[in-house]
Amino acid sequence: MDANLDRRSALTAMALAGAAASINAMAQTPAAAPAGSAPSATPLPPAFAGNPTLKPLAFDPAKLDGLSEKLIRSHWENNYGGSVRTLVAVRKQLAEAMASKDTPAWLYNDIKREHLLRTGSVVLHEYYFDNLGGNGQAGASTRKALGDAFGSYGAWENEFRRIANGLGGGSGWVVLGFNTHTRQLENYWMADHAHGPAATLPLLVMDMYEHSYQMDFGAAAARYIDAFFKNIQWDTVAARIEKAQKVASA
Amino acid sequence: MDANLDRRSALTAMALAGAAASINAMAQTPAAAPAGSAPSATPLPPAFAGNPTLKPLAFDPAKLDGLSEKLIRSHWENNYGGSVRTLVAVRKQLAEAMASKDTPAWLYNDIKREHLLRTGSVVLHEYYFDNLGGNGQAGASTRKALGDAFGSYGAWENEFRRIANGLGGGSGWVVLGFNTHTRQLENYWMADHAHGPAATLPLLVMDMYEHSYQMDFGAAAARYIDAFFKNIQWDTVAARIEKAQKVASA
Amino acid sequence: MDANLDRRSALTAMALAGAAASINAMAQTPAAAPAGSAPSATPLPPAFAGNPTLKPLAFDPAKLDGLSEKLIRSHWENNYGGSVRTLVAVRKQLAEAMASKDTPAWLYNDIKREHLLRTGSVVLHEYYFDNLGGNGQAGASTRKALGDAFGSYGAWENEFRRIANGLGGGSGWVVLGFNTHTRQLENYWMADHAHGPAATLPLLVMDMYEHSYQMDFGAAAARYIDAFFKNIQWDTVAARIEKAQKVASA
Amino acid sequence: MDANLDRRSALTAMALAGAAASINAMAQTPAAAPAGSAPSATPLPPAFAGNPTLKPLAFDPAKLDGLSEKLIRSHWENNYGGSVRTLVAVRKQLAEAMASKDTPAWLYNDIKREHLLRTGSVVLHEYYFDNLGGNGQAGASTRKALGDAFGSYGAWENEFRRIANGLGGGSGWVVLGFNTHTRQLENYWMADHAHGPAATLPLLVMDMYEHSYQMDFGAAAARYIDAFFKNIQWDTVAARIEKAQKVASA
């Protein structure tokens, strides 16, 4: 919260930045844009370049046990898809705002908060959908890993479900993660997409935003939690645990 | 936010949980506790076990350039140390609360929020102190990696500093991280210890809580930002980047 | 985040507090409790006493224009009602925790956060339902007040709707309020029940949590916004404005 | 989080908005601007007009008991003053963003969050400084009011101090407030300037951001809490309580 804000309009500064970016863009525009494409924008550096591509569902959404196709499709297209599209716009906005030294830091950070939020939304949704579509039966090695960390597999499940229950009626996520710094398997409560445990690889991700269940279950979050557990794709989780163990020993 | 809260006092439930834990503890108490120690507590499973050990500073806090020994020692002992000690208590509290099925989910999640917050504080502070104590000169490979991601090393530094400036006067962190899912190097704004980018390995971590600078600089956060940059231990950052690249190709 | 946390289990302390509270309760228990009631609890001071009574809807939920009775009833009973019931439990928990000087401050504040959140949920929901059930036509004096503050009535509506649109897909509220300190009519964005403008009397309150619309509209928040505007009870809003003006001149 | 974001650059839209605002501004520019001033801006409607005037301290900052003049002056000028100045810029930015129908709702709300945050900072700081400069002795009627609400004056003070203790090391506020809706006197925990209890008039406001004490006490927040209590201007608090009671009976 810098006191040294620019008294001139930040908007004016951003408009100037836009002009500068356009000039810059012209200098770097490739000679030939693909036919039929929109006029080429500045090629942004990777840290600001957006990716508008949605990751397809790895399962048939018509075949989940107790979660409707309509719910899953709406969640994937509108909530996940909306964040994918917004994140592209956020990154572009950041690049333009950086092009002016007059953008006030408070305004820049307002957009960086959106960047953190949308990054969380995109990444966590991709983890979430990827760990759906299974039969809900954890394999022996996964059960052992969770039992070793939590006392028993049941103790792990109890905590994960309790966190989920407490998030009913609002926004948030439950994440089983491997903290690469403390080397612990833990369950984490998160209030929104912008929250997250430091230095942690997600292993099992559960969306508790109301858009994950209201369409099928109304306010009955507990029924969604049951349905989620029935459809966990544990093979994906096992592969993530295996990769986390490699990271831990790297 | 579950509507089905137990109308009985949550406290009563937790007291019962405490009793249960004590019984459990007795069953597992080793035959001989160290003389003079408090009665031995239950050996907690790893996901709930605390670690009260502070990670020592890897540099001599009397020898930083423009950051006082008093500031660094207070930050390390009181703010980082306070979170290390509190996290041990939080985990113990969670274990006791889980021992009762009657703990309301809202109360459990209140403590899980503290768990997320303190985990962030402990982990990020350890990253922070570990990337201090250097001469502030990034090596060629680091400069190249940042230049590749941000357009130029200067562009990276400009964004990192702008985020830091915008956080002056409050709480928060600036983190250069490698997002293992999107495979991008990015700078992230974080409002407090509980925020964090999903699936991301920290590479350079800067504390912007006011306890990081008020003692030396008062409200002049910009002077702290300059001092921080002069003391970055870039060798540590380079090693983290190298490890992140290994993770990326794993 | 106090470093001086009690190393003893906070739970033990809270259990002791519970015992103390029980003893205290006995001393103050009225001679005869209503037949069939649970054993009487301590009469709590007003700051900690809970009120489990839901405020009835002031309109017939079957007769809104474009918002289903099922949606309104679920919202009122489960989301509003859930917070009413939880707030009673939160207050009781706080009273018990205060009865012990050993409750760590971090744990106390975790519950105070829930207190802030649930207070917001209860109060804002009561404002929200009370400003539904009308015909959506603002009267002349209200239109003038909003026009004076925002340039025109349309300018006010545009901003209110834009904030609502931006909250689609998550949690939050839009509040037209009178700031008693700055004496301004303003629209406020709020991320969750715990957010709120300082020293402000709400005039028109709109719930943007997904439970306000998902059941009727799925992810189409824009359709809910239209429906909300059609059902605003502007007489209630006018009465609130009138009262705010009295406060302003008090 | 609207999915229907405009794919065109938001910046472009805002630049256009800026142009529109400029045109609008010209039409309304008074005939003669003060000599030497910048070109006159659009006269903004009250809801967007900023007020750059700092409220002067009502006490001599050199004469507090245990809080240094340097600390108070820095807090007033840099932290309070910084928010006053930023809030003017935020409101101007909002007006410009509203002038374009193409501003994405997510970007608008990012700035509305800053608006909420800065409004809280300005208002709460004014309450805070106004309730400093006294002798710390609450009068009989205030003690009675707090005793009636909390069981005893000491019980009130214990809770207020405990919340303050729990906020040490981070950001936040403690507020004794009168909730005009529930008609209760309560203490509230707030994590940052954007938090706040619904429909509540502040009576006693305590800043727990680290800039309130680090300069004098380092990390020893408990010493600041003691010093704050010694300097409370209870006459101001009593006047606020009296006004709140009028509002309650209005």
Side-chain angles (χ1 to χ4, degrees):
Chain A
M1 305 171 191
D2 61 321
N4 302 320
L5 76 151
D6 186 1
R7 296 301 192 79
R8 282 195 301 143
S9 162
L11 184 61
T12 311
M14 292 179 75
L16 294 174
S22 299
I23 291 166
N24 197 26
M26 279 186 287
Q28 300 185 27
T29 299
S37 72
S40 173
T42 317
L44 294 165
F48 295 96
N51 175 7
T53 311
L54 277 69
K55 189 172 187 190
L57 292 172
F59 57 89
D60 180 346
K63 295 191 175 164
L64 295 189
D65 180 3
L67 294 166
S68 74
E69 179 175 6
K70 187 182 165 198
L71 171 72
I72 296 292
R73 287 205 184 278
S74 172
H75 191 174
W76 183 83
E77 170 56 30
N78 295 307
N79 301 103
Y80 162 56
S83 279
V84 167
R85 291 182 290 269
T86 302
L87 184 54
V88 173
V90 168
R91 287 164 163 280
K92 189 175 180 189
Q93 186 78 68
L94 288 169
E96 291 176 359
M98 275 311 296
S100 167
K101 66 177 171 47
D102 294 325
T103 306
W106 61 261
L107 180 57
Y108 194 75
N109 277 3
D110 290 347
I111 311 173
K112 285 302 286 189
R113 175 182 162 276
E114 190 79 39
H115 172 243
L116 179 67
L117 191 84
R118 295 295 179 170
T119 298
S121 180
V122 169
V123 171
L124 293 169
H125 273 114
E126 294 185 358
Y127 273 94
Y128 171 71
F129 288 118
D130 278 355
N131 59 218
L132 275 180
N135 66 1
Q137 302 299 318
S141 67
T142 301
R143 294 178 71 94
K144 182 177 182 323
L146 293 175
D148 288 349
F150 289 83
S152 69
Y153 175 83
W156 165 77
E157 182 174 332
N158 282 346
E159 197 201 29
F160 196 95
R161 281 176 176 266
R162 188 174 284 184
I163 300 169
N165 263 300
L167 285 167
S171 55
W173 296 86
V174 194
V175 170
L176 164 70
F178 175 70
N179 190 311
T180 63
H181 186 71
T182 63
R183 292 171 182 258
Q184 286 179 299
L185 277 182
E186 293 184 288
N187 291 322
Y188 292 102
W189 165 98
M190 294 161 56
D192 65 24
H193 309 312
H195 282 75
T200 294
L201 301 177
L203 304 174
L204 175 66
V205 170
M206 181 182 194
D207 196 341
M208 282 302 303
Y209 275 65
E210 291 173 298
H211 55 243
S212 308
Y213 57 87
Q214 269 271 348
M215 204 179 282
D216 278 4
F217 303 111
R223 291 180 55 210
Y224 163 63
I225 297 168
D226 285 342
F228 174 79
F229 264 82
K230 273 195 248 173
N231 290 282
I232 294 176
Q233 174 47 276
W234 282 103
D235 292 347
T236 301
V237 178
R240 291 174 186 163
I241 292 176
E242 201 176 339
K243 190 171 174 189
Q245 286 166 335
K246 274 187 203 155
V247 171
S249 58
Chain B
M1 306 172 191
D2 61 323
N4 302 321
L5 74 151
D6 185 3
R7 295 301 191 78
R8 281 193 305 142
S9 162
L11 184 60
T12 310
M14 291 177 75
L16 294 174
S22 300
I23 291 165
N24 198 27
M26 279 187 286
Q28 301 186 26
T29 300
S37 74
S40 172
T42 317
L44 294 165
F48 295 96
N51 176 7
T53 312
L54 276 68
K55 190 173 187 189
L57 292 172
F59 57 90
D60 180 348
K63 295 192 174 163
L64 295 189
D65 181 2
L67 294 166
S68 74
E69 180 176 5
K70 187 181 164 199
L71 171 72
I72 297 293
R73 287 205 184 280
S74 172
H75 192 174
W76 184 83
E77 170 57 29
N78 295 306
N79 301 103
Y80 163 56
S83 279
V84 168
R85 290 183 291 270
T86 301
L87 184 54
V88 173
V90 168
R91 287 163 163 281
K92 189 176 179 186
Q93 185 80 69
L94 288 169
E96 291 178 358
M98 275 312 296
S100 166
K101 66 179 173 44
D102 294 325
T103 307
W106 62 261
L107 179 57
Y108 195 75
N109 277 4
D110 289 347
I111 310 174
K112 285 302 287 189
R113 175 182 162 273
E114 190 78 40
H115 173 243
L116 179 67
L117 191 85
R118 297 294 181 170
T119 298
S121 179
V122 168
V123 171
L124 293 169
H125 273 114
E126 294 186 358
Y127 273 94
Y128 171 70
F129 288 119
D130 277 356
N131 60 217
L132 276 180
N135 66 1
Q137 301 299 317
S141 68
T142 300
R143 295 177 71 93
K144 183 177 182 319
L146 294 174
D148 288 349
F150 288 83
S152 70
Y153 175 84
W156 165 76
E157 182 174 333
N158 282 347
E159 199 203 27
F160 195 95
R161 281 176 175 268
R162 187 173 284 183
I163 300 169
N165 263 301
L167 284 168
S171 55
W173 296 87
V174 194
V175 170
L176 164 70
F178 174 70
N179 191 310
T180 63
H181 185 73
T182 64
R183 292 170 181 258
Q184 286 179 297
L185 277 182
E186 292 184 288
N187 292 321
Y188 292 102
W189 165 98
M190 293 160 56
D192 65 25
H193 309 311
H195 283 73
T200 294
L201 301 176
L203 303 174
L204 176 66
V205 171
M206 181 181 195
D207 196 341
M208 282 302 302
Y209 274 66
E210 293 173 298
H211 55 244
S212 309
Y213 57 88
Q214 269 270 348
M215 205 179 280
D216 279 4
F217 304 111
R223 292 180 55 210
Y224 162 64
I225 297 168
D226 285 342
F228 173 79
F229 264 83
K230 274 195 247 174
N231 290 282
I232 293 175
Q233 173 49 276
W234 281 103
D235 292 347
T236 300
V237 178
R240 291 174 185 163
I241 292 176
E242 201 175 340
K243 189 170 173 189
Q245 288 166 334
K246 273 187 205 156
V247 171
S249 58
Chain C
M1 307 170 191
D2 60 322
N4 302 321
L5 76 151
D6 186 1
R7 296 302 192 80
R8 283 193 302 142
S9 163
L11 185 60
T12 310
M14 292 179 75
L16 294 174
S22 298
I23 291 166
N24 197 27
M26 279 186 287
Q28 300 184 27
T29 298
S37 73
S40 172
T42 318
L44 294 165
F48 295 96
N51 175 6
T53 312
L54 276 69
K55 189 173 186 190
L57 291 172
F59 57 90
D60 180 347
K63 295 190 175 166
L64 295 189
D65 181 3
L67 294 166
S68 74
E69 179 176 5
K70 187 182 165 198
L71 171 73
I72 297 293
R73 287 205 184 279
S74 172
H75 191 174
W76 183 83
E77 170 57 30
N78 295 307
N79 301 104
Y80 163 56
S83 279
V84 168
R85 291 182 291 268
T86 302
L87 184 54
V88 173
V90 168
R91 288 163 163 280
K92 188 175 180 190
Q93 185 80 68
L94 288 169
E96 290 178 358
M98 274 312 295
S100 167
K101 66 178 173 47
D102 294 325
T103 307
W106 61 261
L107 179 57
Y108 195 75
N109 277 4
D110 289 347
I111 310 173
K112 286 301 288 189
R113 175 182 162 276
E114 190 79 38
H115 173 243
L116 179 67
L117 191 84
R118 296 293 180 171
T119 298
S121 179
V122 169
V123 171
L124 293 169
H125 274 113
E126 294 186 359
Y127 273 93
Y128 171 70
F129 288 118
D130 278 356
N131 59 218
L132 276 181
N135 67 1
Q137 300 300 317
S141 67
T142 300
R143 294 178 71 93
K144 182 177 182 324
L146 293 175
D148 288 349
F150 289 83
S152 70
Y153 175 84
W156 165 77
E157 182 173 332
N158 283 346
E159 198 202 28
F160 196 95
R161 281 176 177 267
R162 188 174 284 183
I163 300 169
N165 263 300
L167 285 167
S171 54
W173 296 86
V174 194
V175 171
L176 165 69
F178 174 70
N179 191 310
T180 64
H181 186 72
T182 64
R183 292 171 181 259
Q184 286 178 299
L185 278 182
E186 293 183 288
N187 292 321
Y188 293 102
W189 165 99
M190 294 159 57
D192 64 26
H193 309 311
H195 281 75
T200 294
L201 301 177
L203 304 175
L204 176 66
V205 170
M206 181 182 195
D207 196 342
M208 283 302 301
Y209 275 64
E210 292 172 299
H211 56 243
S212 309
Y213 58 87
Q214 269 271 348
M215 205 179 282
D216 277 4
F217 304 111
R223 291 180 55 209
Y224 162 65
I225 297 168
D226 286 342
F228 173 80
F229 263 83
K230 272 194 247 173
N231 290 282
I232 293 176
Q233 174 49 273
W234 281 104
D235 293 347
T236 300
V237 178
R240 291 173 186 165
I241 292 176
E242 202 175 338
K243 189 171 173 188
Q245 286 165 336
K246 275 188 203 156
V247 171
S249 58
Chain D
M1 306 171 190
D2 61 322
N4 302 321
L5 75 151
D6 185 1
R7 296 300 192 79
R8 282 192 303 143
S9 163
L11 185 60
T12 310
M14 292 178 76
L16 294 174
S22 300
I23 291 165
N24 197 28
M26 279 186 286
Q28 301 185 27
T29 301
S37 73
S40 171
T42 318
L44 294 166
F48 295 96
N51 175 7
T53 312
L54 277 67
K55 189 173 187 189
L57 292 173
F59 58 88
D60 180 347
K63 295 191 175 164
L64 294 188
D65 181 2
L67 293 166
S68 74
E69 180 176 5
K70 187 182 164 198
L71 171 72
I72 297 293
R73 286 206 186 279
S74 172
H75 192 174
W76 183 82
E77 170 57 30
N78 295 307
N79 300 104
Y80 163 56
S83 278
V84 168
R85 291 182 290 270
T86 302
L87 184 54
V88 173
V90 168
R91 287 164 163 281
K92 188 176 179 187
Q93 185 79 69
L94 287 169
E96 291 178 359
M98 274 312 296
S100 166
K101 66 178 173 46
D102 294 325
T103 308
W106 61 261
L107 179 57
Y108 194 75
N109 277 4
D110 289 347
I111 311 174
K112 286 301 287 187
R113 175 182 161 274
E114 190 78 39
H115 172 243
L116 178 67
L117 191 85
R118 296 294 180 171
T119 297
S121 179
V122 169
V123 171
L124 292 169
H125 273 114
E126 295 186 358
Y127 273 93
Y128 171 71
F129 288 120
D130 277 356
N131 60 217
L132 276 180
N135 66 2
Q137 301 299 318
S141 68
T142 301
R143 295 177 71 93
K144 182 175 182 321
L146 294 175
D148 287 350
F150 289 84
S152 70
Y153 175 84
W156 165 77
E157 183 174 331
N158 282 347
E159 198 202 28
F160 196 95
R161 281 177 176 266
R162 188 174 283 183
I163 300 169
N165 263 301
L167 284 167
S171 55
W173 297 86
V174 195
V175 170
L176 165 70
F178 175 70
N179 192 309
T180 64
H181 185 72
T182 63
R183 294 171 180 257
Q184 287 179 297
L185 279 182
E186 293 184 287
N187 292 321
Y188 292 103
W189 164 98
M190 293 160 56
D192 64 25
H193 309 311
H195 282 73
T200 294
L201 301 177
L203 304 175
L204 176 66
V205 171
M206 181 182 195
D207 196 342
M208 283 301 303
Y209 274 66
E210 293 173 298
H211 55 244
S212 308
Y213 59 87
Q214 268 272 347
M215 205 179 281
D216 279 5
F217 303 111
R223 292 180 55 210
Y224 162 64
I225 297 168
D226 286 342
F228 173 80
F229 264 83
K230 275 195 246 175
N231 290 281
I232 294 174
Q233 174 48 275
W234 282 103
D235 292 347
T236 300
V237 178
R240 291 174 186 163
I241 292 176
E242 202 175 338
K243 189 171 173 189
Q245 286 167 334
K246 273 187 205 156
V247 171
S249 58

